[in-house]
Amino acid sequence: MSDRVTNTGYDEWLDALAAGEGFYLESPGGHGSLPPRRVCPHSGSTDLSEEPLPDVGAVETFTVVHVAPPSFAGEAPYVTAVADFGPVRITGVLVDVEPADEEIPLGLEVEVDVETHGEDDERAVVLRPV
């Protein structure tokens, strides 16, 4: 038996992202959120539908991590970014860029994917420039 802890909803979402079938949850009022969710955080609706995630998002903000948690210490410095994908915002590790503040323009177009990171090879959401 595996020692890996599963996070129902989130793990399935990561699987979908890795397969190129990313999605978000939408309430009847048009509010978007990310799994795992059972209730819309805006309206309280439990009638959530899976909608395809836009292929491309844009970096809204980022930070360069110089002092990482122990399991990511070997990867520092690295960039964590928040990207706008229309109805939702996704936070992930920005890959394929140099972690220098002046080289990452806001509005940079990115795709979302999943890679293993850290000493434990945990799956993580990554954002990759297009």
Side-chain angles (χ1 to χ4, degrees):
M1 178 150 62
S2 171
D3 291 339
R4 187 172 181 273
V5 175
T6 59
N7 187 342
T8 304
Y10 183 71
D11 284 336
E12 288 81 4
W13 184 68
L14 289 179
D15 292 343
L17 286 178
E21 300 171 355
F23 65 92
Y24 68 96
L25 302 175
E26 186 174 83
S27 72
H31 301 115
S33 59
L34 296 174
R37 288 265 188 224
R38 294 184 182 172
V39 177
C40 174
H42 301 282
S43 67
S45 174
T46 58
D47 185 21
L48 304 177
S49 62
E50 289 185 7
E51 300 298 329
L53 188 67
D55 293 331
V56 176
V59 171
E60 287 190 325
T61 189
F62 67 91
T63 189
V64 178
V65 178
H66 293 279
V67 180
S71 64
F72 284 83
E75 297 191 23
Y78 60 90
V79 179
T80 297
V82 177
D84 181 350
F85 280 83
V88 293
R89 288 178 178 81
I90 297 177
T91 302
V93 177
L94 186 59
V95 296
D96 301 337
V97 297
E98 290 298 318
D101 295 346
E102 64 277 357
E103 294 183 28
I104 302 169
L106 296 183
L108 176 69
E109 291 188 338
V110 292
E111 297 173 323
V112 65
D113 200 358
V114 177
E115 291 181 358
T116 56
H117 281 265
E119 291 179 10
D120 299 330
D121 284 335
E122 286 295 318
R123 294 190 307 167
V125 174
V126 297
L127 302 168
R128 181 172 286 108
V130 292

